[in-house]
Amino acid sequence: MNKQIFILFAVILSCNCFSQINFEKGYYINNSDQRIDCLIKNLDWKNNPTKFFYKLSENTEPKKGHINSIKEFGIINKSKYVRRKVDIDRSSENLKDLSTLRNPVFKEEQLFLKVLVEGKANLYRYGDGNLKRYFYKTDTSSIRQLIFKSYRTTNVQKGKNNRYKQQLLNILKCESISVKDLKNANYTKKELVNLFVKYNSCSDSAFINFEKKQKRDLFNLTIRPGIKNTSLSIQNVISYPDIIDFGSKLSFRFGVEAEFIMPFNKNKWALLIEPTYQYSKFEKIVDQQVINVDYKSIELPLGFRHYFFLNNNSRIFINGVFIIDLDMDSKINFEKDADLTIKTDGNLAFGIGYNYNQKYSLEMRYGSGRAILGDYTFWNSDYESLSVILGYTLF
C-alpha cells in the first residue's frame, strides 16, 4: 500500500498545473477617464484587491492593472470595483486585541471598494482577512463608513459601538422600511444589501444589485458508493510480540456527502461532511488458533475540498478530512483467547478526484493509520485504507 500512497501524493502535489481561472468580459477606467473593454482574470476576490490581470484580447499576453493607475474596473454582470480615498477604521474584532476606545480610529486610505448595490443609495464592501467594513453613499453625501466597532469596557467586557444603525435611520428613510427593521439590522452583507435594495426600490430609482447577479448554488448533496482496499495489523507487546498482519482485503463503503461551497474565490473551496457506512472482515491463523476480525462502523469525515477548474464542465479536486469513527459493536474474535472489543481513534484522510458537469465524480482517497484497540494498554493496532469512490450529485 505504501507504493500506492506515494503515487497518490505525487499526483496531488503535481495537480496545480491543471488549475485554471478564466478571463471574462470586463472593462477598466484609467486615470484619463478612458474606458477600455478587456478580459479580466476573475479571481472572485475574498479580500479587496489592489491589482488585477487583464487581456486586451483573447490571444494577447496578460497585463497588470494597479490601483494607482485604474479608477474603476468590473466584470460584466458580475462585479464592480471603484477606487476611492476613504476614512476607514481598522480596529480589530479579536477579543485579545480589542481597543479600549469606543469611537472608531479613522485613517485615510486609497482602496478598491466593491460595489454591492448602486442606485440612489450605494452600498460598498471592503474586506481584508478578518476585517470587514461597509460603506455608503447617497445623492447628498460622499462615501462614508458604516460604523461598527467592538471595544473593551472598563470592567474587561466586550462592548459594541452600533453607530451604523443610527446612520441607516438617517439615510434610508422610506415607507417600506420600518424603524424596527433598521434597529434590528445586523452588520452583515446579506442584511445590509436587503435594506439598500428595499430603499432604492421604494425610492423608484434605477439601481443595480450586484449580489443578485452572483447568486450561486452553494450546497451539494451527493451519494458516494465505493470499494476500499483495507489492511490491518495488531500486536500485543506481552502475549503476541510479533506483529499479526492480516494483509489487505477489499470491502464496500457507502456514503452521503453534504458539501458547502464557500462564496468566494470562484467557488474553489468547500467544507464537507460525509456520513459513511463501512465494513471490513479479516481472518488469520496464529499459533494454531483462528482469529476473526468483524469491523463495521459509521465514519464521519469532516474537512475541506479545493477545486482546480479545467474548463466549464471538468474540474479536479483534492480533499483533506479528519475522520471520526463510530464503531458498531465490532470485535476481534480469538478461537482460544479472550475476544477484544474494537474502540477506534480518529484519523486523517487525503483524496484526489475528478468531477464532470458538477454531477458525476470519481475519487481516490487514502486513510492514514487508525488505532482500533484504544481501550487496551498492551495492544497496538494499525488500520489503513485506500478507497475508490464514485459520486452522483442529487442537487
Side-chain angles (χ1 to χ4, degrees), residues 31 49-52 64-73 82-84 109-113:
N31 286 340
T50 58
K51 60 181 180 297
F52 61 94
K64 183 188 295 185
H66 194 271
I67 191 170
N68 292 331
S69 57
I70 303 296
K71 298 175 69 173
E72 176 181 317
F73 75 94
V82 294
R83 185 186 72 190
R84 295 291 187 271
E109 296 184 30
Q110 180 173 260
L111 306 171
F112 272 138
L113 298 179

Side-chain angles (χ1 to χ4, degrees), residues 197-224:
V197 166
K198 188 179 289 189
Y199 172 77
N200 282 292
S201 299
C202 175
S203 303
D204 292 327
S205 64
F207 70 95
I208 301 174
N209 177 7
F210 287 92
E211 290 304 292
K212 183 177 180 180
K213 292 178 181 296
Q214 297 196 70
K215 187 177 179 180
R216 303 161 176 153
D217 295 325
L218 299 180
F219 175 75
N220 296 318
L221 187 68
T222 304
I223 56 173
R224 286 166 51 89

Side-chain angles (χ1 to χ4, degrees), residues 19-37:
S19 177
Q20 176 179 330
I21 294 180
N22 293 330
F23 281 80
E24 301 180 23
K25 289 184 179 179
Y27 72 94
Y28 68 85
I29 298 175
N30 60 26
N31 286 340
S32 300
D33 290 325
Q34 294 177 304
R35 174 180 168 128
I36 291 90
D37 292 326

Side-chain angles (χ1 to χ4, degrees), residues 296-359:
K296 52 185 177 291
S297 69
I298 299 294
E299 295 181 334
L300 196 63
L302 303 166
F304 68 91
R305 172 170 293 146
H306 183 66
Y307 286 102
F308 301 89
F309 295 94
L310 304 179
N311 53 49
N312 290 335
N313 295 320
S314 298
R315 49 189 178 166
I316 287 173
F317 61 85
I318 56 175
N319 301 328
V321 297
F322 178 76
I323 299 177
I324 301 171
D325 189 63
L326 308 174
D327 56 272
M328 302 171 65
D329 193 28
S330 301
K331 294 183 180 298
I332 298 179
N333 299 300
F334 291 80
E335 188 178 13
K336 298 177 182 178
D337 298 329
D339 295 341
L340 301 174
T341 299
I342 291 178
K343 292 295 181 182
T344 61
D345 296 332
N347 67 300
L348 298 174
F350 307 92
I352 181 171
Y354 171 75
N355 182 286
Y356 176 72
N357 205 29
Q358 300 185 48
K359 199 73 175 177

Side-chain angles (χ1 to χ4, degrees), residues 260-265 267-271 304-307:
F260 302 88
I261 307 296
M262 305 304 290
F264 54 82
N265 199 220
N267 294 4
K268 292 176 67 177
W269 288 94
L271 300 178
F304 68 91
R305 172 170 293 146
H306 183 66
Y307 286 102

